[in-house]
């Protein structure tokens, strides 16, 4: 794992987001590091869109950077990259088709199921930072 990534607790993450600090706490770090910190906060059984991640990282309007950042993660990373989906509630296409299937399997293992069109119910499983934990 990248030594520049600081382990943050869920409480710290929630505080950063709720206090509107987004990137200000992390202003001296790169965009990828800020993206990774946000993605690490997405709880098991929840998803976030590329746009949502980039907004929380403090760089709204650069959703493609999330894709680039997640693509650059090493195999076996602890960062839950599979919890990031596109705005349509679907797994985005990749240059490596096997990774789409891997993402689907990882999401299903967390109780997030996709329908026949490979779409999930975003409203049901979307991550809402700061919201109280509720069942699926």
């Amino acid at each position: 794992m990248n030594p520049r990534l600081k382990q943050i607790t869920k409480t710290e993450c929630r505080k950063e987001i709720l206090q509107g600090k987004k990137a200000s706490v992390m202003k001296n770090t790169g965009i990828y590091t800020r993206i990774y910190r946000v993605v690490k906060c997405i709880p098991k059984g929840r998803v976030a869109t590329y746009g949502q991640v980039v907004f929380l990282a403090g760089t709204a309007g650069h959703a493609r950077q999330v894709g680039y950042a997640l693509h650059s993660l090493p195999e076996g990373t602890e960062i839950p990259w599979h919890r990031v989906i596109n705005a349509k509630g679907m797994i985005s296409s990749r240059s490596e088709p096997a990774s789409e299937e891997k993402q689907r399997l990882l999401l299903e293992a967390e109780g997030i199921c996709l329908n026949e069109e490979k779409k999930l119910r975003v409203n049901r499983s979307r991550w809402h930072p700061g919201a109280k934990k509720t069942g699926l």
Side-chain angles (χ1 to χ4, degrees):
M1 181 156 76
N2 185 336
R4 294 187 317 169
L5 294 179
K6 177 187 165 212
Q7 284 279 49
I8 59 173
T9 66
K10 289 179 183 177
T11 304
E12 290 172 325
C13 181
R14 186 172 289 132
K15 284 180 184 177
E16 287 177 11
I17 293 166
L18 289 178
Q19 292 174 359
K21 291 183 182 177
K22 296 179 196 112
S24 66
V25 171
M26 306 169 270
K27 64 185 173 188
N28 294 325
T29 61
I31 186 172
Y32 281 20
T33 302
R34 294 193 314 255
I35 288 168
Y36 297 151
R37 290 186 76 192
V38 171
V39 174
K40 284 178 78 171
C41 290
I42 304 170
K44 184 177 179 180
R46 298 288 180 208
V47 294
T49 64
Y50 291 95
Q52 183 180 3
V53 169
V54 81
F55 174 79
L56 293 170
T59 54
H62 298 278
R64 287 186 184 204
Q65 289 297 319
V66 176
Y68 299 145
L70 297 179
H71 179 74
S72 72
L73 287 169
E75 186 70 31
T77 182
E78 294 179 10
I79 296 172
W81 60 270
H82 62 281
R83 296 180 187 151
V84 182
I85 58 168
N86 67 31
K88 295 179 182 177
M90 301 174 76
I91 293 172
S92 293
S93 298
R94 295 183 175 76
S95 57
E96 301 169 25
S99 62
E100 294 172 40
E101 179 67 9
K102 182 177 181 179
Q103 184 174 7
R104 183 185 66 77
L105 292 171
L106 289 168
L107 289 172
E108 287 179 351
E110 293 184 3
I112 300 172
C113 296
L114 286 76
N115 65 19
E116 302 81 35
E117 293 90 38
K118 298 181 181 179
K119 191 171 182 178
L120 57 93
R121 295 182 191 167
V122 178
N123 292 338
R124 186 171 185 174
S125 52
R126 182 184 295 245
W127 173 47
H128 298 284
K132 291 185 179 181
K133 192 174 184 178
T134 59
L136 292 175

